């Protein structure tokens, strides 16, 4: 069975996304988006080659879930979620 693990900084990214979602769209939509993100983590663990390579960090893959980008690394057990960043953020400063 493959699994996903979440880095501490990615865990904080999820909290920040949730808080921002509550402020901008309400609790229901914020929770709905969190469910979508977690669903994608499962999907990436099962299909780790779905993502695209990251030129500035070759060991990472990226998968877009608008308006965010999930950055992850493949391992024998599945994937480790490294970051979940807003797509317009300066990625090179945060990876």
């Amino acid at each position: 069975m493959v699994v996903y693990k979440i880095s501490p900084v990615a865990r904080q990214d999820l909290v920040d996304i949730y808080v921002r979602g509550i402020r901008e769209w309400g609790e229901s939509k914020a929770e709905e988006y969190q469910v979508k993100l977690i669903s994608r983590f499962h999907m990436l663990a099962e299909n780790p080659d779905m993502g695209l390579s990251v030129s500035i960090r070759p060991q990472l893959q990226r998968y877009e879930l608008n308006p965010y980008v999930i950055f992850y690394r493949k391992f024998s057990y599945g994937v480790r979620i490294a970051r979940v960043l807003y797509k317009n953020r300066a990625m090179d400063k945060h990876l």
Side-chain angles (χ1 to χ4, degrees):
M1 181 171 115
V2 295
V3 298
Y4 68 88
K5 296 182 181 180
I6 303 174
S7 73
V9 70
R11 192 170 305 282
Q12 186 59 51
D13 291 339
L14 292 175
V15 170
D16 295 344
I17 291 167
Y18 183 71
V19 169
R20 181 175 184 226
I22 289 174
R23 272 196 321 262
E24 294 189 21
W25 301 292
E27 189 173 349
S28 176
K29 289 288 184 187
E31 287 179 13
E32 185 179 305
Y33 196 75
Q34 290 286 305
V35 169
K36 279 186 183 180
L37 283 168
I38 300 302
S39 169
R40 291 311 189 279
F41 296 167
H42 286 285
M43 182 186 71
L44 291 169
E46 293 285 336
N47 306 287
D49 292 322
M50 287 186 72
L52 303 172
S53 62
V54 177
S55 60
I56 60 172
R57 296 275 191 257
Q59 73 276 22
L60 293 179
Q61 301 279 102
R62 62 181 273 138
Y63 180 86
E64 290 191 31
L65 181 61
N66 246 353
Y68 291 92
V69 180
I70 301 167
F71 292 92
Y72 66 97
R73 186 172 177 183
K74 298 185 284 186
F75 287 94
S76 59
Y77 60 77
V79 298
R80 178 175 169 89
I81 307 302
R83 296 295 310 256
V84 183
L85 299 173
Y86 189 71
K87 70 178 179 179
N88 292 335
R89 207 163 177 190
M91 303 292 177
D92 56 333
K93 293 181 182 179
H94 299 283
L95 291 179

